[in-house]
């Protein structure tokens, strides 16, 4: 790209004032300086800058982004103190301040962060010790047998409501410190109770409970009639380790007796040969992966209108999980 000195630019502007022709300017420039002249648009731009500034043939420096006043910053601070869960778009509509400015003030001037909601269980110091012991035990098993995880079947139930009461994906809470708040869950809305189990190769399910409440007897019937027959087909060598958490239906005496018979010394759970640590949903791939994977495909517009559609979407979402995805998980 050609560069031109200030003197060359100035001479071009004066020449254009005399001739009012960019072509004449180019000819005289080539004769005097013995090099390729500036383009016609460049000559027009220099002349325009000179007329606007009265002294310069260079582009005027951009004034840059306008400074946000202290009053605007204080207005937004008070707005989010009153309602930290509001979105930046709502704040923009309420205050008349552009959305991009709202974002910039929250992050750069007020140093606030957008905290995403997550559903967790209460966790005590005693729970932490049990978790640590379980993880060390699993780590040792994996070291002793590199294929140990290949034999583990993780399982869990989940409840999906037709109407989502809390949208944890889109909801954010603005604050300088991580908020410690809880939200009540609305009960008795139309819902589907679903059971799934998974290994590194496949997902077993989804299995839908027809009952609104899952009791120990209902859970045992599901194991005997649906899950275990499928596991028997894949457990030719009797190596499967079955995992379940400590939910009350899983703790029923008949359930534990059945698992002791079907998986002697090879099941993980509450009061099991391999004790499952309480309050540890984040240790199972169903909680930290499969449930979120399904919800991302379940609750997309238009939202499911009834339980039948909710079940159909759930089945379709689980069917999209591939062995490659499970091995990665």
């Amino acid at each position: 790209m050609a560069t031109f000195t200030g003197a060359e630019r100035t001479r071009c502007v004066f020449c254009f004032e005399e001739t009012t022709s960019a072509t004449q300017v180019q000819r005289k420039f080539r004769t005097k300086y013995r090099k390729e002249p500036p383009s016609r648009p460049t000559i027009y731009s220099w002349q325009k800058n000179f007329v606007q500034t009265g002294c310069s043939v260079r582009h005027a420096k951009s004034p840059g982004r306008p400074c946000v006043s202290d009053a605007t910053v204080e207005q937004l601070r008070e707005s989010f103190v009153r309602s930290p869960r509001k979105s930046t778009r709502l704040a923009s509509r309420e205050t008349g301040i552009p959305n991009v400015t709202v974002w910039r003030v929250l992050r750069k001037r007020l140093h606030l962060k957008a905290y995403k909601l997550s559903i967790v269980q209460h966790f005590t110091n005693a729970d932490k010790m049990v978790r640590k012991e379980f993880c060390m035990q699993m780590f040792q098993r994996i070291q002793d047998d590199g294929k140990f995880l290949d034999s583990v079947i993780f399982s869990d139930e989940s409840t999906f409501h037709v109407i989502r009461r809390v949208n944890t994906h889109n909801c954010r809470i603005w604050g300088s410190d991580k908020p410690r708040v809880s939200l009540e869950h609305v009960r008795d809305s139309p819902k589907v109770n679903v059971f799934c189990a998974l290994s590194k190769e496949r997902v077993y399910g989804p299995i839908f409970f027809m009952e609104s409440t899952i009791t120990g007897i209902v859970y045992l019937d599901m194991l005997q009639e649906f899950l275990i027959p499928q596991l028997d087909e894949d457990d030719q060598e009797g190596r499967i380790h079955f995992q379940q958490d400590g939910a009350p239906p899983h703790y029923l005496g008949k359930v534990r007796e059945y698992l002791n018979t079907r998986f002697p010394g090879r099941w993980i759970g509450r009061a099991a040969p391999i004790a499952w640590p309480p309050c540890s949903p984040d240790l199972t791939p169903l909680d930290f992966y499969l449930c979120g994977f399904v919800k991302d495909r379940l609750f997309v517009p238009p939202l499911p209108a009834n339980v039948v559609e909710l079940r159909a979407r759930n089945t379709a979402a689980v069917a999209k999980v591939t062995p490659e995805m499970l091995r990665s998980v």
Side-chain angles (χ1 to χ4, degrees):
M1 182 177 180
T3 58
F4 302 95
T5 65
E8 291 171 344
R9 294 170 184 241
T10 302
R11 186 170 185 84
C12 287
V13 170
F14 289 161
C15 185
F16 184 83
E17 290 291 333
E18 294 175 358
T19 63
T20 65
S21 171
T23 302
Q24 291 291 334
V25 173
Q26 289 177 323
R27 291 173 180 172
K28 292 186 177 183
F29 184 94
R30 188 179 290 107
T31 300
K32 179 173 180 60
Y33 295 107
R34 302 296 180 180
K35 67 177 185 179
E36 196 64 27
S39 64
R40 292 165 58 88
T42 300
I43 296 172
Y44 294 142
S45 176
W46 291 346
Q47 193 272 341
K48 180 180 177 181
N49 290 333
F50 183 81
V51 171
Q52 290 178 343
T53 62
C55 62
S56 176
V57 293
R58 298 182 181 275
H59 290 288
K61 185 177 181 181
S62 172
R65 182 180 293 164
C67 181
V68 179
S69 67
D70 293 338
T72 299
V73 174
E74 182 62 21
Q75 181 184 6
L76 288 175
R77 187 192 68 80
E78 293 178 355
S79 177
F80 279 89
V81 166
R82 290 193 305 268
S83 180
R85 291 194 183 97
K86 73 173 62 176
S87 67
T88 56
R89 294 185 182 277
L90 177 58
S92 176
R93 289 196 299 268
E94 291 178 348
T95 60
I97 301 171
N99 187 44
V100 65
T101 303
V102 175
W103 263 96
R104 190 165 68 249
V105 170
L106 291 176
R107 302 300 295 269
K108 302 297 184 181
R109 298 287 293 275
L110 296 177
H111 304 290
L112 300 182
K113 299 178 180 179
Y115 291 97
K116 182 180 179 180
L117 291 178
S118 61
I119 299 176
V120 299
Q121 294 181 333
H122 180 63
F123 209 53
T124 66
N125 289 331
D127 294 332
K128 296 178 182 178
M129 294 301 298
V130 177
R131 274 170 59 97
K132 179 180 178 181
E133 293 174 1
F134 173 80
C135 291
M136 294 303 295
Q137 181 183 4
M138 290 298 102
F139 183 68
Q140 186 62 48
R141 285 177 177 267
I142 295 172
Q143 281 191 321
D144 295 340
D145 181 3
K147 295 184 178 181
F148 173 73
L149 280 181
D150 296 349
S151 67
V152 179
I153 305 294
F154 293 95
S155 72
D156 200 10
E157 300 89 24
S158 185
T159 299
F160 300 95
H161 291 260
V162 173
I163 300 176
R164 299 181 74 187
R165 299 296 180 179
V166 179
N167 186 334
T168 58
H169 181 72
N170 294 328
C171 183
R172 297 291 187 275
I173 299 178
W174 287 91
S176 55
D177 298 314
K178 189 173 184 178
R180 302 292 181 179
V181 297
S182 61
L183 298 176
E184 294 184 359
H185 179 68
V186 179
R187 301 177 62 88
D188 301 325
S189 61
K191 63 183 179 181
V192 171
N193 292 318
V194 186
F195 174 90
C196 278
L198 61 81
S199 67
K200 289 181 67 176
E201 297 298 329
R202 62 174 291 191
V203 177
Y204 299 89
I207 300 172
F208 300 102
F209 294 95
M210 296 298 103
E211 298 80 3
S212 59
T213 302
I214 304 174
T215 65
I217 296 299
V218 170
Y219 178 72
L220 178 59
D221 289 342
M222 183 277 301
L223 291 179
Q224 294 174 331
E225 296 181 18
F226 296 99
L227 179 64
I228 300 304
Q230 296 182 58
L231 295 184
D232 287 340
E233 297 178 1
D234 299 333
D235 190 21
Q236 303 298 327
E237 301 178 2
R239 295 187 68 251
I240 281 184
H241 289 70
F242 176 72
Q243 179 274 337
Q244 63 178 18
D245 61 24
H250 304 170
Y251 190 63
L252 183 70
K254 292 183 178 180
V255 172
R256 288 181 283 129
E257 291 176 6
Y258 176 72
L259 293 178
N260 280 326
T261 301
R262 177 60 184 81
F263 304 103
R266 292 184 288 111
W267 69 279
I268 306 168
R270 184 178 172 192
I274 305 174
W276 177 255
C279 304
S280 301
D282 57 321
L283 294 184
T284 74
L286 290 102
D287 279 286
F288 70 72
Y289 168 71
L290 185 63
C291 186
F293 179 87
V294 171
K295 284 184 177 180
D296 287 343
R297 288 150 183 80
L298 216 61
F299 299 106
V300 294
L303 297 178
N306 50 53
V307 169
V308 175
E309 187 176 348
L310 196 63
R311 289 176 184 158
R313 288 197 186 190
N314 198 299
T315 301
V318 172
K320 294 181 179 180
V321 179
T322 65
E324 291 76 14
M325 297 163 64
L326 293 175
R327 287 190 286 270
S328 177
V329 169

